[in-house]
Amino acid sequence: MGVGNYAKNNLAAECVKKYIELNPTKTAEEVLNDWRSLGNIVPHFIESKEEYDARTDNSKRSHEIACGGAVIYVAHNGYGSNGKVLALMDAVNQKDWGITIQKNV
């Protein structure tokens, strides 16, 4: 059953939001660790507030997502036509997280 139709640059953030919704008792640290298990799909894929604030580069293009009283940042850059969105889809679909991503045709 389709639940959303998202642009490549919003897909990861929407998946993390859904994951948090499906796992309301997980702490931000647990969510970070779970999503980091997918690998660093794009630069700064998922970060804590401390990691995000410590960055000095000018490309702080991330979605801010509330999680258990904390904030998680999910990158929305780097998913263009380089196959990274497919890597994200494959990685998420291989997990038993209750989230399935399908490509629109």
Side-chain angles (χ1 to χ4, degrees):
M1 158 174 39
V3 179
N5 185 4
Y6 305 108
K8 290 177 189 176
N9 62 341
N10 294 329
L11 182 61
E14 292 300 328
C15 287
V16 171
K17 286 179 193 174
K18 186 65 177 175
Y19 183 79
I20 292 168
E21 181 184 314
L22 292 170
N23 298 280
T25 60
K26 288 202 178 220
T27 65
E29 193 60 38
E30 289 172 320
V31 172
L32 285 165
N33 288 336
D34 290 345
W35 282 83
R36 285 179 178 146
S37 74
L38 302 182
N40 200 24
I41 294 173
V42 296
H44 310 293
F45 174 52
I46 189 162
E47 297 177 305
S48 66
K49 177 159 179 47
E50 294 74 23
E51 291 165 328
Y52 178 83
D53 288 346
R55 277 206 278 141
T56 57
D57 60 18
N58 290 330
S59 62
K60 287 188 171 184
R61 297 184 195 103
S62 300
H63 294 282
E64 186 177 293
I65 301 170
C67 179
V71 176
I72 291 174
Y73 291 88
V74 179
H76 62 79
N77 251 22
Y79 296 99
S81 57
N82 56 9
K84 296 296 186 179
V85 76
L86 296 176
L88 172 68
M89 290 170 61
D90 289 343
V92 170
N93 288 340
Q94 287 177 20
K95 296 286 185 175
D96 187 21
W97 286 348
I99 301 171
T100 303
I101 306 170
Q102 294 177 326
K103 188 174 180 177
N104 284 344
V105 287

